[in-house]
Amino acid sequence: MANSVSPATSRAAFAIGAEQVARRAVDFLSERLEDGETAVTAFERSDGCWSVAVHFADPPDEARVRALVALAAGDDVARTVVFDTIAARDWVEASLEGLAPVPAGRFIVHGRHDRDRVPPNKLAIEIEAALAFGTGHHGTTRGCLLLLDQVLRARMPRRVLDLGAGTGVLAIAAAKALRRSVLASDIDPRSTTVARENATLNGVGNLVWSIRATGFSAPLFRARAPFDLVLANILANPLRRMAPAMARHLAPEAMVILSGLLPQHTRGVIATYRAQGLVLIRQLRIDGWCSLLMQNRG
């Protein structure tokens, strides 16, 4: 896998005790620092706390970063932020050490160190970059993979979109199972590069088309639509905002998998998509996160 990032980056690092707070902080910082020169990462430590880091191509304004962390996670956390310089690739590889393979239906997500532990009857997805909840070890990703497995046992969608693809796990899974082209988009340019590289690593580089896009704004969405299957592992608020645009890009009877939802947000998301003509088929809850399978009946 090619190294697409610079040999060393500036980093702001801190720890958060609760996963929900960590995820909200990652979302908040990603939105506020979305300039193409940063990447927000997070992973769970052995003590149950979450390590969050923001990587910068250039040294950041430390006072501004600390102020944003205070808004995202509170003043106490902001005071603990440590700024340093780190070899980005070394950190990515270290973050995957000790993570066991994750099975989800016919799929299994694993790191390079676990290639020999993958059963021969599984569709293996090897991920080397642990960018913010994108390794398959998070409940939202596993929920999406389980629902994808359910969909693919009943139908063979031709036009597939992975919206907010991150490391590309879902796009790779769909491409491997279907052996068809999958469009993968993300607002973060580094994520699009990582997804492209992970697709190549998994032998589907010719099938996963990874682009940078905000929502459904890119012309390629119109060119590829209508989609028979959309995978969107994002967060509740952006999912609600994108519901009308998503509905316009769906084929009749299209399947939609939505995730990144806390239980208290699920009803609102379901209602928003029901107003666009989608009905709930199944709901999964894994590790405190909800994933939804919905179908276009509009």
Side-chain angles (χ1 to χ4, degrees), residues 10-275:
S10 296
R11 182 183 69 165
F14 54 95
I16 294 179
E19 179 181 355
Q20 290 86 348
V21 179
R23 190 171 179 88
R24 287 196 297 268
V26 167
D27 182 50
F28 178 87
L29 293 171
S30 296
E31 289 181 354
R32 297 305 186 279
L33 297 169
E34 184 195 339
D35 61 1
E37 298 299 324
T38 63
V40 185
T41 66
F43 66 96
E44 188 176 15
R45 305 186 320 203
S46 59
D47 62 1
C49 290
W50 283 79
S51 290
V52 181
V54 186
H55 295 263
F56 303 86
D58 299 307
D61 180 338
E62 294 187 7
R64 176 174 180 259
V65 172
R66 201 178 294 276
L68 288 173
V69 173
L71 290 173
D75 292 337
D76 290 343
V77 173
R79 283 191 285 270
T80 69
V81 176
V82 175
F83 295 89
D84 61 4
T85 301
I86 190 168
R89 187 163 175 81
D90 289 347
W91 184 90
V92 165
E93 291 183 352
S95 69
L96 280 178
E97 291 179 1
L99 292 181
V102 176
R106 77 183 72 181
F107 305 107
I108 186 165
V109 184
H110 66 94
R112 179 175 56 187
H113 55 286
D114 279 322
R115 285 178 182 172
D116 296 336
R117 297 173 62 184
V118 177
N121 62 335
K122 294 288 186 180
L123 286 178
I125 305 166
E126 182 173 322
I127 300 296
E128 289 195 40
L131 295 180
F133 306 96
T135 63
H137 293 76
H138 193 262
T140 59
T141 309
R142 187 160 180 260
C144 287
L145 288 171
L146 288 168
L147 292 176
L148 174 62
D149 188 38
Q150 175 182 333
V151 169
L152 298 186
R153 291 182 187 279
R155 56 179 64 202
M156 296 286 286
R158 294 178 55 247
R159 296 174 294 274
V160 181
L161 167 65
D162 181 3
L163 190 68
T167 55
V169 171
L170 303 179
I172 293 166
K176 280 200 163 193
L178 293 167
R179 304 309 304 179
R180 289 176 177 167
S181 177
V182 176
L183 178 61
S185 72
D186 201 284
I187 63 173
D188 178 8
R190 286 193 186 178
S191 290
T192 62
T193 300
V194 169
R196 191 176 300 118
E197 292 179 342
N198 281 334
T200 300
L201 174 69
N202 284 273
V204 289
N206 62 323
L207 295 177
V208 175
W209 188 264
S210 181
I211 66 169
R212 183 188 182 191
T214 301
F216 285 84
S217 61
L220 192 56
F221 287 106
R222 293 189 294 274
R224 291 284 189 106
F227 295 102
D228 304 301
L229 172 63
V230 175
L231 306 149
N233 183 11
I234 312 178
L235 286 169
N237 286 336
L239 285 176
R240 283 194 291 261
R241 289 195 300 267
M242 289 188 292
M246 185 183 297
R248 290 194 297 270
H249 288 78
L250 295 177
E253 305 301 316
M255 307 301 290
V256 176
I257 296 173
L258 307 175
S259 196
L261 307 173
L262 293 171
Q264 61 266 34
H265 298 153
T266 303
R267 286 186 179 180
V269 171
I270 293 172
T272 300
Y273 279 81
R274 186 183 294 124

